[in-house]
Amino acid sequence: MHDFAVSKQTWCNYTIVCGEYRAFAFDYSMWKMFRELRLVGRLTRQRGTIPQMCRLYSSGTNNNDSEPFLSYDKDPAPAFMRDDVQQLLKSITRLELDKVFRKRSVKDNTVEYRFMTDDQLRQELVQSIGHAQQMLQMPPVVQEQQDNCRVISKDGALKAFSTSKFVFTDITYGLKNSQRSIVVRHPDGTLQEAPYETRKRLNQVYFPLTGRSIHQPPMFESVHLQRLLEEGKYEFVLDRACVQFEPYERDYHQITARVYQHINDSRSFDALRSTRHFGPFVFFLAWHRLVDDLLLDMVKKDYLRNAIELIVLYSTLHGTALDEGLKQLVLQPQMPNLFDAPEKSIDEMKQDEQFLAVIEKFVHEHGTKKVQLNLAIQAYREVATEKLQLAQGIRRMHGES
């Protein structure tokens, strides 16, 4: 036997929780209960309590529906979930312990100091890396879900029984929200599966998720969201979006796309680098062929290996030609650089020259900002050549071959 809850929706599309029952059949007792519910609703309206209930259970409206945004033309999940793509995105994210474990505005923000031996410090560092990798787990990138409200039945005998809609919710304990049966009885007698917004609202009413609001928070409205973006609070907005929305909701796609575009336009890549959102951000740019500014930033910051990984990701998503040996090179597992990198060796400098040639070829074939990228590559090559000559001179002075 399943437990069901019945709700009544008034003409203004607000929800009022009315009661619970133990069966899902329209018999005489159900008809009698409906009459009682109508009486309760009439008395409630006379007492003037509906406006307060309406505010409590009204669904939030998105003021950004009319604004265009970059969306995925097909399901990105198969490409995003590939092992090689995940490995590339994790490497591009760059694990930085100082940023992952930075102080945050939370209740418990204490720091613990302990005396350790070298072995204990090494073990603690390994554990910290594992914990940091868990904290950098990326939100999934999936296709936007479309509503498919299947009509279950049409009962003409129930037509004009009520001017309101009745929503039936399966409140059986232990079911996932996506598996829960929620249907709507329309005034014309049609029994139909509930649309997603109704499902989400009622699931939050009966089984609330921590941090999620029944209505959409005002921060996601266009005016407030633009102010947050101008203040550079990208991670805060994305973290809140992950709590409020599911990754397949249109609002989630719209808000994340707007945040990603603002970051790319302002070139504020360090705001998300070494956070759980940097991987989906890079995937978004590579999918929509908007990698020029990020590639330029990587060249300027001497992240040439990340730049090659970005090119490999671009090639994987769009099927462009790429040397297979280079792809295998960047897919080799590499220990994250946790501290300030020492001076590069001569072999690393020579490898960087090979990376520059690959980047230069990519810019020539697929770049949209060729002038800026070529100037950055030329400047990097001049500095790298001087460093290489200096390192070779020092080696000869020490009698090394």
Side-chain angles (χ1 to χ4, degrees):
M1 180 72 71
H2 284 248
D3 293 338
F4 285 87
V6 59
S7 306
K8 181 180 178 182
Q9 291 192 332
T10 68
W11 60 272
C12 55
N13 200 29
Y14 295 135
T15 303
I16 302 175
V17 179
C18 298
E20 299 182 357
Y21 60 94
R22 293 288 299 177
F24 191 64
F26 288 94
D27 52 13
Y28 175 76
S29 60
M30 186 61 63
W31 175 80
K32 183 178 179 181
M33 187 188 70
F34 281 163
R35 290 191 61 185
E36 295 174 353
L37 290 176
R38 293 182 66 185
L39 178 60
V40 171
R42 190 179 303 113
L43 293 175
T44 304
R45 286 193 294 272
Q46 292 175 357
R47 294 177 182 177
T49 56
I50 279 187
Q52 180 180 0
M53 300 292 287
C54 291
R55 287 195 298 270
L56 180 61
Y57 295 108
S58 62
S59 59
T61 57
N62 189 0
N63 297 330
N64 304 326
D65 287 341
S66 59
E67 297 182 7
F69 66 97
L70 288 177
S71 59
Y72 294 97
D73 52 352
K74 61 181 180 180
D75 188 6
F80 182 78
M81 298 300 178
R82 286 178 48 169
D83 292 338
D84 55 342
V85 172
Q86 287 287 306
Q87 184 176 342
L88 290 171
L89 293 177
K90 289 178 181 178
S91 180
I92 294 175
T93 299
R94 300 185 65 87
L95 174 61
E96 299 176 5
L97 294 181
D98 290 342
K99 188 168 184 178
V100 175
F101 296 112
R102 68 189 184 280
K103 291 185 177 181
R104 300 174 183 268
S105 300
V106 294
K107 295 181 180 179
D108 186 10
N109 206 1
T110 58
V111 179
E112 181 181 357
Y113 296 94
R114 285 184 291 176
F115 291 99
M116 296 183 180
T117 63
D118 291 343
D119 292 338
Q120 291 174 336
L121 180 61
R122 193 177 299 108
Q123 294 176 2
E124 191 70 25
L125 183 60
V126 171
Q127 294 178 1
S128 299
I129 294 175
H131 184 46
Q133 290 174 342
Q134 292 179 358
M135 296 179 66
L136 293 181
Q137 182 66 38
M138 296 176 284
V141 178
V142 296
Q143 191 176 30
E144 179 184 332
Q145 178 178 278
Q146 303 296 330
D147 258 345
N148 183 19
C149 303
R150 181 174 60 92
V151 175
I152 301 173
S153 66
K154 293 185 178 181
D155 301 314
L158 297 176
K159 186 176 182 180
F161 173 77
S162 174
T163 58
S164 302
K165 300 176 184 178
F166 287 86
V167 182
F168 301 89
T169 305
D170 183 356
I171 59 173
T172 304
Y173 180 77
L175 287 180
K176 295 181 179 179
N177 287 345
S178 58
Q179 300 174 337
R180 203 170 299 283
S181 177
I182 302 178
V183 296
V184 179
R185 176 70 74 178
H186 294 273
D188 63 354
T190 301
L191 184 65
Q192 189 177 25
E193 292 180 347
Y196 178 75
E197 284 299 324
T198 303
R199 292 183 57 88
K200 180 181 178 180
R201 185 170 67 246
L202 291 178
N203 278 324
Q204 184 64 16
V205 170
Y206 293 114
F207 305 96
L209 298 178
T210 303
R212 177 174 293 183
S213 303
I214 295 178
H215 58 278
Q216 181 171 290
M219 63 172 287
F220 293 123
E221 296 176 2
S222 182
V223 177
H224 303 301
L225 180 59
Q226 183 62 30
R227 179 176 57 83
L228 290 173
L229 296 180
E230 291 174 354
E231 294 175 358
K233 298 182 179 180
Y234 306 114
E235 188 179 6
F236 169 71
V237 174
L238 292 173
D239 283 340
R240 190 67 180 86
C242 288
V243 175
Q244 182 64 30
F245 307 107
E246 297 296 337
Y248 47 77
E249 291 187 44
R250 176 181 175 82
D251 289 340
Y252 179 82
H253 280 248
Q254 186 171 7
I255 291 169
T256 54
R258 186 171 175 182
V259 175
Y260 295 158
Q261 288 180 270
H262 194 280
I263 294 173
N264 190 48
D265 293 341
S266 60
R267 299 183 181 181
S268 304
F269 304 111
D270 285 337
L272 280 192
R273 189 173 273 123
S274 194
T275 70
R276 61 194 296 255
H277 304 290
F278 196 71
F281 164 66
V282 174
F283 184 86
F284 176 86
L285 295 183
W287 183 281
H288 296 290
R289 305 175 189 266
L290 300 173
V291 298
D292 293 75
D293 289 319
L294 180 58
L295 189 62
L296 178 63
D297 179 78
M298 290 176 173
V299 173
K300 290 182 176 180
K301 287 184 167 60
D302 196 12
Y303 297 158
L304 293 192
R305 183 181 178 89
N306 290 152
I308 297 299
E309 291 168 340
L310 180 61
I311 294 174
V312 172
L313 175 64
Y314 185 97
S315 173
T316 302
L317 296 180
H318 301 292
T320 58
L322 188 67
D323 181 59
E324 191 65 26
L326 180 66
K327 185 175 181 179
Q328 295 300 325
L329 174 64
V330 298
L331 288 177
Q332 292 178 358
Q334 188 181 30
M335 182 67 181
N337 188 17
L338 304 178
F339 308 101
D340 293 337
E343 291 294 330
K344 290 185 177 181
S345 64
I346 294 180
D347 293 337
E348 291 175 335
M349 293 181 183
K350 292 180 179 180
Q351 187 181 64
D352 285 347
E353 182 59 34
Q354 298 176 359
F355 288 164
L356 278 178
V358 175
I359 296 172
E360 202 167 21
K361 180 180 178 182
F362 175 83
V363 171
H364 176 71
E365 296 177 353
H366 306 286
T368 59
K369 298 183 178 181
K370 292 183 172 61
V371 175
Q372 300 179 38
L373 285 165
N374 285 327
L375 288 175
I377 292 172
Q378 182 181 355
Y380 184 93
R381 180 176 281 125
E382 292 175 356
V383 175
T385 301
E386 293 179 359
K387 290 183 178 179
L388 178 60
Q389 293 175 353
L390 178 61
Q392 290 175 341
I394 294 175
R395 175 177 287 187
R396 286 194 299 268
M397 291 176 57
H398 287 81
E400 299 178 8
S401 57

